[in-house]
mmCIF file of all heavy atoms in Angstrom:
data_model
loop_
_atom_site.group_PDB
_atom_site.id
_atom_site.type_symbol
_atom_site.label_atom_id
_atom_site.label_comp_id
_atom_site.label_asym_id
_atom_site.label_seq_id
_atom_site.Cartn_x
_atom_site.Cartn_y
_atom_site.Cartn_z
ATOM 1 N N LEU A 601 46.780 94.242 39.343
ATOM 2 C CA LEU A 601 47.821 93.417 38.849
ATOM 3 C C LEU A 601 47.741 93.259 37.359
ATOM 4 O O LEU A 601 48.751 93.334 36.642
ATOM 5 C CB LEU A 601 47.762 92.059 39.552
ATOM 6 C CG LEU A 601 49.011 91.149 39.332
ATOM 7 C CD1 LEU A 601 50.295 91.874 39.797
ATOM 8 C CD2 LEU A 601 48.863 89.845 40.127
ATOM 9 N N ALA A 602 46.515 93.066 36.822
ATOM 10 C CA ALA A 602 46.334 92.943 35.364
ATOM 11 C C ALA A 602 46.757 94.249 34.685
ATOM 12 O O ALA A 602 47.407 94.232 33.607
ATOM 13 C CB ALA A 602 44.872 92.613 35.071
ATOM 14 N N ILE A 603 46.379 95.353 35.299
ATOM 15 C CA ILE A 603 46.773 96.681 34.718
ATOM 16 C C ILE A 603 48.290 96.837 34.751
ATOM 17 O O ILE A 603 48.932 97.315 33.797
ATOM 18 C CB ILE A 603 46.075 97.844 35.444
ATOM 19 C CG1 ILE A 603 44.567 97.829 35.087
ATOM 20 C CG2 ILE A 603 46.665 99.174 35.106
ATOM 21 C CD1 ILE A 603 43.738 98.769 35.893
ATOM 22 N N GLY A 604 48.884 96.473 35.936
ATOM 23 C CA GLY A 604 50.352 96.612 36.054
ATOM 24 C C GLY A 604 51.110 95.717 35.091
ATOM 25 O O GLY A 604 52.244 96.032 34.719
ATOM 26 N N ILE A 605 50.564 94.548 34.711
ATOM 27 C CA ILE A 605 51.223 93.709 33.746
ATOM 28 C C ILE A 605 51.025 94.175 32.333
ATOM 29 O O ILE A 605 51.912 94.176 31.473
ATOM 30 C CB ILE A 605 50.716 92.248 33.908
ATOM 31 C CG1 ILE A 605 51.158 91.673 35.279
ATOM 32 C CG2 ILE A 605 51.245 91.371 32.773
ATOM 33 C CD1 ILE A 605 50.481 90.307 35.578
ATOM 34 N N SER A 606 49.776 94.589 32.040
ATOM 35 C CA SER A 606 49.415 94.934 30.656
ATOM 36 C C SER A 606 50.118 96.208 30.124
ATOM 37 O O SER A 606 50.593 96.219 28.970
ATOM 38 C CB SER A 606 47.935 95.099 30.520
ATOM 39 O OG SER A 606 47.253 93.970 30.985
ATOM 40 N N MET A 607 50.127 97.256 30.948
ATOM 41 C CA MET A 607 50.642 98.547 30.419
ATOM 42 C C MET A 607 52.071 98.488 29.976
ATOM 43 O O MET A 607 52.430 98.964 28.902
ATOM 44 C CB MET A 607 50.382 99.598 31.500
ATOM 45 C CG MET A 607 48.906 99.847 31.828
ATOM 46 S SD MET A 607 47.914 100.148 30.357
ATOM 47 C CE MET A 607 48.635 101.661 29.756
ATOM 48 N N PRO A 608 53.001 97.917 30.761
ATOM 49 C CA PRO A 608 54.379 97.841 30.264
ATOM 50 C C PRO A 608 54.539 96.981 28.981
ATOM 51 O O PRO A 608 55.303 97.280 28.112
ATOM 52 C CB PRO A 608 55.169 97.198 31.425
ATOM 53 C CG PRO A 608 54.363 97.465 32.676
ATOM 54 C CD PRO A 608 52.926 97.407 32.176
ATOM 55 N N ILE A 609 53.716 95.910 28.904
ATOM 56 C CA ILE A 609 53.774 95.034 27.724
ATOM 57 C C ILE A 609 53.445 95.827 26.524
ATOM 58 O O ILE A 609 54.122 95.801 25.487
ATOM 59 C CB ILE A 609 52.812 93.851 27.896
ATOM 60 C CG1 ILE A 609 53.347 92.854 28.975
ATOM 61 C CG2 ILE A 609 52.615 93.095 26.576
ATOM 62 C CD1 ILE A 609 52.399 91.696 29.245
ATOM 63 N N VAL A 610 52.245 96.542 26.548
ATOM 64 C CA VAL A 610 51.819 97.272 25.381
ATOM 65 C C VAL A 610 52.769 98.426 25.043
ATOM 66 O O VAL A 610 53.102 98.623 23.880
ATOM 67 C CB VAL A 610 50.397 97.849 25.635
ATOM 68 C CG1 VAL A 610 49.970 98.708 24.426
ATOM 69 C CG2 VAL A 610 49.397 96.741 25.824
ATOM 70 N N THR A 611 53.270 99.148 26.045
ATOM 71 C CA THR A 611 54.194 100.245 25.766
ATOM 72 C C THR A 611 55.459 99.819 25.082
ATOM 73 O O THR A 611 55.914 100.386 24.105
ATOM 74 C CB THR A 611 54.494 101.027 27.068
ATOM 75 O OG1 THR A 611 53.305 101.443 27.704
ATOM 76 C CG2 THR A 611 55.383 102.197 26.829
ATOM 77 N N VAL A 612 56.055 98.710 25.666
ATOM 78 C CA VAL A 612 57.306 98.182 25.036
ATOM 79 C C VAL A 612 57.048 97.700 23.647
ATOM 80 O O VAL A 612 57.841 97.928 22.699
ATOM 81 C CB VAL A 612 57.864 97.093 25.948
ATOM 82 C CG1 VAL A 612 59.004 96.364 25.259
ATOM 83 C CG2 VAL A 612 58.331 97.671 27.266
ATOM 84 N N ILE A 613 55.959 96.962 23.425
ATOM 85 C CA ILE A 613 55.637 96.419 22.094
ATOM 86 C C ILE A 613 55.451 97.566 21.121
ATOM 87 O O ILE A 613 55.953 97.516 19.946
ATOM 88 C CB ILE A 613 54.355 95.542 22.141
ATOM 89 C CG1 ILE A 613 54.696 94.228 22.769
ATOM 90 C CG2 ILE A 613 53.773 95.333 20.745
ATOM 91 C CD1 ILE A 613 53.466 93.294 22.929
ATOM 92 N N TYR A 614 54.757 98.619 21.497
ATOM 93 C CA TYR A 614 54.532 99.747 20.575
ATOM 94 C C TYR A 614 55.786 100.414 20.167
ATOM 95 O O TYR A 614 56.095 100.719 19.014
ATOM 96 C CB TYR A 614 53.520 100.767 21.230
ATOM 97 C CG TYR A 614 52.097 100.497 21.046
ATOM 98 C CD1 TYR A 614 51.666 99.287 20.538
ATOM 99 C CD2 TYR A 614 51.147 101.425 21.421
ATOM 100 C CE1 TYR A 614 50.322 99.001 20.350
ATOM 101 C CE2 TYR A 614 49.804 101.171 21.254
ATOM 102 C CZ TYR A 614 49.366 99.935 20.748
ATOM 103 O OH TYR A 614 48.056 99.694 20.588
#
Side-chain angles (χ1 to χ4, degrees):
L601 192 55
I603 289 172
I605 293 172
S606 303
M607 297 307 298
I609 289 175
V610 174
T611 303
V612 170
I613 285 177
Y614 275 10

